[in-house]
Amino acid sequence: KNQVEQSPQSLIILEGKNCTLQCNYTVSPFSNLRWYKQDTGRGPVSLTIMTFSENTKSNGRYTATLDADTKQSSLHITASQLSDSASYICVVRGGSGGGADGLTFGKGTHLIIQP
Amino acid sequence: DGGITQSPKYLFRKEGQNVTLSCEQNLNHDAMYWYRQDPGQGLRLIYYSQIVNDFQKGDIAEGYSVSREKKESFPLTVTSAQKNPTAFYLCASSTRGGWTEAFFGQGTRLTVV
C-alpha cells in the first residue's frame, strides 16, 4: 500500500531560525509531489510541486528537494517568521495503492514559530 | 477573482439530521473533490467527480452523498447514516486527470450537537 510518512510530527523553533521537514514515500510509479501549507482552520495552500526530473524548487523562503531514487523529499524554511506557524502536508501522486484520486496524503508536520 | 468557495465556514447539526455543505469554483476545473480531515490524520477522500453528472466514491463514502449538476458546483450531503460526522471538510478542484493545478477551499467545520 502507498504510504507517505512525514517527520517530525511537530516542531518548535525560534523566529529567525531555519528548519527542515522530511517526507518519505513508497508511492510507485511516481508522478509528482506537492508540499502544502495549512493554517489552522483553513484550507491547504500549495507551496511547490515537483516532478520526477526536478531536484530542487524554491518559493521565496521555502525550498523543496526531491530524491526520486531514495523516495525522499524535504522542505527547508529559511529565516522563519511567525506566519510560518502552520501544518505542512506532503502529497504524492501516482501509484495504484493510493486514494481513488491517485493521491496519498501525509499526516503533516505541525510547525510552531516562537518569538 | 478566480477561486473555490466553501460555505458555511462553521456548521452545527443535531444528531439524525442531514446537512449539505456547499462548494463552488469559478476556475473552469473539470474535477472536484471532497475530503475529510481529522486531527492527527491525513486527508481522506470522500467523493470525487471528473465531469458533470458523474461522480465516484472515494475511500470513505459511507454516510455521504454528492451531486454534480453543474461544472461549478459540487455539494456534499452528510446524512444521518454517517456515524461520526464531526470533522473538518475540504473541497478541492483541479484540472482533469493530473492534479497539476489544484486548489482547496477554506473548509467547513461540522459539529454534531
Side-chain angles (χ1 to χ4, degrees):
Chain A
K1 182 179 178 180
N2 290 344
Q3 286 187 315
V4 173
E5 299 287 344
Q6 291 189 243
S7 62
Q9 187 175 16
S10 61
L11 180 63
I12 302 173
I13 64 171
L14 293 175
E15 184 179 10
K17 298 296 186 182
N18 304 336
C19 67
T20 300
L21 315 180
Q22 298 290 342
C23 173
N24 297 339
Y25 61 93
T26 61
V27 177
S28 182
F30 173 87
S31 179
N32 60 57
L33 182 149
R34 196 189 293 259
W35 284 93
Y36 284 93
K37 178 187 179 187
Q38 185 177 22
D39 293 318
T40 301
R42 306 289 293 249
V45 175
S46 180
L47 295 174
T48 67
I49 180 171
M50 303 188 74
T51 58
F52 185 86
S53 60
E54 296 174 304
N55 298 119
T56 303
K57 184 172 283 189
S58 293
N59 177 3
R61 295 179 297 101
Y62 301 100
T63 299
T65 66
L66 175 66
D67 185 335
D69 292 330
T70 62
K71 299 185 177 179
Q72 295 180 329
S73 177
S74 65
L75 181 69
H76 185 75
I77 304 174
T78 303
S80 61
Q81 300 176 359
L82 297 178
S83 59
D84 293 330
S85 294
S87 288
Y88 292 83
I89 302 172
C90 176
V91 184
V92 180
R93 186 175 187 277
S96 58
D101 51 359
L103 302 176
T104 304
F105 288 84
K107 295 180 180 180
T109 291
H110 186 51
L111 176 64
I112 298 173
I113 311 298
Q114 289 186 337
Chain B
D1 288 338
I4 180 167
T5 303
Q6 290 185 241
S7 62
K9 186 172 177 63
Y10 299 97
L11 189 57
F12 296 88
R13 189 195 90 175
K14 293 183 179 180
E15 286 190 16
Q17 287 182 338
N18 294 353
V19 64
T20 298
L21 283 60
S22 171
C23 180
E24 304 275 337
Q25 55 97 4
N26 60 5
L27 299 166
N28 200 34
H29 284 166
D30 288 306
M32 297 186 74
Y33 312 79
W34 274 105
Y35 294 92
R36 171 180 172 138
Q37 188 175 35
D38 295 286
Q41 296 195 39
L43 274 67
R44 292 183 290 168
L45 180 66
I46 304 172
Y47 268 98
Y48 68 105
S49 168
Q50 300 278 23
I51 197 169
V52 175
N53 291 322
D54 186 51
F55 49 82
Q56 305 295 328
K57 291 182 178 180
D59 304 307
I60 55 165
E62 185 176 353
Y64 300 98
S65 66
V66 294
S67 63
R68 187 85 187 276
E69 298 177 359
K70 299 187 300 182
K71 187 175 184 178
E72 300 81 15
S73 178
F74 191 41
L76 172 74
T77 296
V78 184
T79 75
S80 57
Q82 170 49 237
K83 298 306 179 187
N84 186 21
T86 295
F88 190 54
Y89 291 88
L90 286 163
C91 179
S93 70
S94 75
T95 51
R96 186 177 177 183
W99 199 260
T100 53
E101 178 186 300
F103 298 92
F104 282 91
Q106 291 302 299
T108 293
R109 181 164 299 281
L110 173 64
T111 303
V112 173
V113 297

